[in-house]
Amino acid sequence: MSPFLRIAVVALAVSPAISPALAQQAAPQPSAATEIQTGGEAFAAQQAAANSKPGPRRRPAETIPVPIEGVSSAAQAMIAAPFPPHFNAEPQSAAEWKDLIERRAALIRAALPAMQEKMAVTVQPAVIGGVKAYIVTPNAIPEANRNRLLVHMHGGGYVFAPGEAALPEALMIAGFGGFKVICVDYRMPPDFPYPAAMDDAMAVWKAAITMADPKNIAILGTSTGGAMTLAMVHRAKQEGLPLPAAIAPGTPWSDITDTGDTYKSNEWVDNILVTWDGWLGRAARLYAAGHDLKDPQLSPIYGDFSRFPPAILTSGTRDLFLSNTVRTHRALKRAGVVAELNIYEGQSHAQYMGNIDAPETREAFNDIARFFDAYLGK
């Protein structure tokens, strides 16, 4: 088994994967569709009665099989994996948060050497704008990318993936796309709640625009990193700073309140985040530290998307944040912004980058690289 199946990037590790065949053998097979076929009109009538009035939809208990068509075997293994053991973690103190954070980070750090070698990149620690960061450089940079620079904001619910654990996505976009990348190791709770992370992000942005022409710079990140990408553009607009030429907010946590259709429709289906009512909502409140959760710097979906740079967004059909992604895409489109939306079959949160060997991972990062190539320097 590839070592990369043992982590889900964005600091949300997947439990050890099992094969799709074993998953389907082990899982109860009857689904709602099966019941309709075997129960016939009586079952259909029962469901019709349960949904006979306007309001919330009700559906029977069901088993959702692992998708096969249009999904690689590597992706099927991730989709079939059980919930991560930390999904309902409830740390009661700063010390307990730090213990959980370190255990998550250790899993990611263990996979980094092989990932770095596979992506053919070098990693150099740095301090940029007074903020800890890493410079990720491909061993071979295409001529078209010589003057281009990416700023990467890592994911992890504003609490996970400190230090080198922030690197996986930066390694992938550097390796697959051939870009030089600044990976920002921003401060996080429990010691540094909002606005420390955003202050660090903006300090790096102000330094980055002195290192390259903003027309040659893009910002990207997944989950929390996607939300921070959006919030950075909001704040750059407010502060009168140059904007990036393009952005790639992957499955962004653009609304940290429990709002959006798939927070419910994909709850207990997403096998990475699982539910907002687990560690995720607790991390949101820890980071916000009493601030309004609908502040656009915390939930950027509530901000003004006019004058945003072209954006490419990525998610999956089982992603708890699919609604966050779709709502962000519509907000950008309604503001007249060029916005591309890529949705992967069957995938939970950020699984398009959960296995470096999966065809979907190469496809997702090649799409992002192609998008950047279309808009950087133009």
Side-chain angles (χ1 to χ4, degrees), residues 42-66:
F43 181 83
Q46 182 185 52
Q47 299 312 309
N51 291 279
S52 62
K53 297 179 181 179
R57 295 280 66 83
R58 295 176 175 83
R59 64 186 185 187
E62 56 189 340
T63 297
I64 303 174
V66 175

Side-chain angles (χ1 to χ4, degrees), residues 28-204:
Q29 292 305 301
S31 65
T34 303
E35 291 292 342
I36 290 173
Q37 293 170 3
T38 58
E41 293 183 4
F43 181 83
Q46 182 185 52
Q47 299 312 309
N51 291 279
S52 62
K53 297 179 181 179
R57 295 280 66 83
R58 295 176 175 83
R59 64 186 185 187
E62 56 189 340
T63 297
I64 303 174
V66 175
I68 298 174
E69 295 299 327
V71 179
S72 72
S73 59
Q76 289 173 21
M78 288 188 288
I79 294 166
F83 294 164
H86 68 284
F87 84 89
N88 198 34
E90 191 172 6
Q92 298 297 310
S93 65
E96 290 185 10
W97 272 108
K98 290 178 181 180
D99 177 67
L100 176 61
I101 291 164
E102 172 53 28
R103 284 188 280 117
R104 308 303 310 131
L107 292 174
I108 298 174
R109 289 196 302 267
L112 288 177
M115 183 179 290
Q116 183 176 333
E117 181 179 3
K118 196 174 191 71
M119 288 291 94
V121 299
T122 61
V123 177
Q124 183 66 41
V127 176
I128 299 176
V131 177
K132 292 180 180 179
Y134 298 90
I135 305 295
V136 183
T137 307
N139 294 345
I141 300 179
E143 185 62 34
N145 290 344
R146 295 288 181 184
N147 297 318
R148 292 170 171 174
L149 180 65
L150 306 186
V151 175
H152 170 251
M153 309 307 300
H154 71 83
Y158 293 104
V159 292
F160 292 143
E164 290 182 332
L167 282 166
E169 185 178 24
L171 300 183
M172 288 187 227
I173 190 59
F176 286 123
F179 296 98
K180 185 175 182 179
V181 183
I182 297 173
C183 177
V184 184
D185 181 19
Y186 53 85
R187 292 170 295 164
M188 297 187 292
D191 291 337
F192 301 102
Y194 175 80
M198 283 304 303
D199 288 345
D200 287 354
M202 295 310 296
V204 172

Side-chain angles (χ1 to χ4, degrees), residues 218-241:
I219 305 176
L220 79 154
T222 290
S223 191
T224 295
M228 293 184 71
T229 296
L230 299 169
M232 287 171 70
V233 177
H234 284 323
R235 186 158 157 182
K237 286 169 54 181
Q238 293 168 1
E239 296 183 8
L241 296 171

Side-chain angles (χ1 to χ4, degrees), residues 97 156-160 189 253 256 278-288:
W97 272 108
Y158 293 104
V159 292
F160 292 143
W253 200 11
I256 65 173
W279 75 266
L280 186 66
R282 293 160 193 146
R285 292 186 290 269
L286 183 70
Y287 173 66

